[in-house]
Amino acid sequence: MCELLGMSANTPTDICFSFSGLMQRGGRTGPHRDGWGIAFYDGPGVREFRDPYPSCDSEIAKLVRNYPIKSEIVISHIRQANAGRVCLENTHPFIRELWGRNWTFAHNGQLKGIKKQPLTHYLPIGTTDSEHAFCWLMDAIRERFPKPPRRASTLHRFIQKQCDELRKMGVFNMLLTDSRHLYCYCSTKLSWITRKAPFDQACLKDAELTVDFEKETTQTDIVTVVATEPLTTNEQWNRMAVGELIVFHKGEVA
């Protein structure tokens, strides 16, 4: 299985600390050696890095870890291949355009029979079941909403329904964003934590690294981190329920 990492914040924030833990799972403390990727949103624009090599040894991953790119929404993924060969085009996250927005998607799991589902507007570039599922989901959203719905909750409910359908095909843990909201869907395991004042220290599980968030933040900062498995040892993470969709906006539950 792959692993996911996402962030939603109310102010541009770097993800260096959390990514430092995740990248170790990409071949050192975990078996996810088949590529990694990360997308940072800067307003409607996206700064994206992907590499088909293990993140623990990747020079690009080291750049991301050491360079504090600040963003309000981030999606990252480390891959353990089970469908589709190891190559750049099969490396998550995947990006498509709808309503003049960049949508980004990353998936953990396998979906039996997904490639039998017809596609209309969006086509995969690679050969993974994940990218096909993303194209199918984007097709469904575009067909139902040619224009953005007036109420965000209407879109949230529709995405929940489509995710429930995908979960029937297998394991579907997902992170999705439209540049404004971070959608997190749990099929088997996904956890999240919201950090806000009063801030404290956090210690990574997968690297000898501790950060004092009180020194790195302001009293108004709100930052939520979502991961397949909790990344720290001294914090209380919230485990999502099977079939649950949580939507975050600027670090808080929408």
Side-chain angles (χ1 to χ4, degrees):
M1 289 292 186
C2 307
E3 289 207 24
L4 304 168
L5 171 65
M7 184 188 77
S8 170
N10 69 340
T11 188
T13 303
D14 75 68
I15 200 170
C16 296
F17 176 72
S18 296
F19 184 75
S20 295
L22 183 75
M23 69 178 286
Q24 299 307 314
R25 297 179 181 180
R28 183 160 291 128
T29 62
H32 313 88
R33 299 187 57 86
D34 301 322
W36 66 276
I38 190 167
F40 300 86
Y41 276 78
D42 186 352
V46 179
R47 185 179 283 112
E48 180 191 11
F49 301 87
R50 289 193 292 163
D51 193 350
Y53 302 105
S55 58
C56 68
D57 298 322
S58 169
E59 292 298 323
I60 303 174
K62 292 175 185 176
L63 168 68
V64 172
R65 179 192 64 190
N66 296 328
Y67 180 51
I69 300 171
K70 296 197 172 184
S71 175
E72 291 187 5
I73 295 182
V74 177
I75 287 181
S76 185
H77 179 278
I78 53 175
R79 185 177 183 223
Q80 184 178 15
N82 51 43
R85 67 188 183 92
V86 178
C87 57
L88 186 61
E89 62 267 29
N90 286 339
T91 304
H92 306 219
F94 305 108
I95 298 177
R96 295 293 189 276
E97 179 275 334
L98 177 63
W99 309 328
R101 304 178 198 170
N102 283 307
W103 291 65
T104 299
F105 169 96
H107 165 236
N108 161 22
Q110 288 180 286
L111 299 171
K112 186 177 181 180
I114 184 62
K115 292 187 177 180
K116 296 179 181 178
Q117 299 299 315
L119 301 174
T120 305
H121 304 289
Y122 299 94
L123 299 175
I125 296 169
T127 57
T128 63
D129 54 350
S130 301
E131 190 180 15
H132 194 103
F134 179 37
C135 292
W136 179 86
L137 177 59
M138 293 298 292
D139 266 351
I141 296 171
R142 180 171 170 173
E143 290 287 347
R144 176 64 180 82
F145 303 107
K147 296 181 180 180
R150 284 184 290 180
R151 293 184 178 180
S153 59
T154 302
L155 178 59
H156 300 175
R157 287 193 297 271
F158 183 77
I159 290 176
Q160 166 89 62
K161 181 180 177 182
Q162 302 311 117
C163 289
D164 289 341
E165 290 300 313
L166 287 166
R167 183 165 64 92
K168 293 177 183 177
M169 301 181 189
V171 176
F172 187 70
N173 300 299
M174 175 209 77
L175 297 180
L176 172 74
T177 182
D178 61 351
S179 81
R180 302 180 183 186
H181 295 86
L182 178 64
Y183 298 87
C184 311
Y185 185 84
C186 179
S187 176
T188 54
K189 54 184 177 179
L190 207 56
S191 297
W192 60 276
I193 186 169
T194 298
R195 299 184 180 116
K196 55 186 176 181
F199 292 97
D200 205 344
Q201 291 187 344
C203 305
L204 285 178
K205 281 184 179 180
D206 300 273
E208 293 184 4
L209 184 61
T210 299
V211 66
D212 187 347
F213 286 113
E214 187 176 11
K215 297 179 180 178
E216 304 291 333
T217 57
T218 71
Q219 292 298 299
T220 58
D221 289 359
I222 302 172
V223 181
T224 292
V225 176
V226 184
T228 300
E229 293 283 359
L231 293 166
T232 57
T233 59
N234 63 327
E235 296 179 294
Q236 185 63 48
W237 290 65
N238 305 285
R239 290 196 175 272
M240 291 178 60
V242 173
E244 183 179 15
L245 176 75
I246 300 181
V247 185
F248 295 99
H249 178 64
K250 293 189 175 296
E252 299 191 279
V253 176

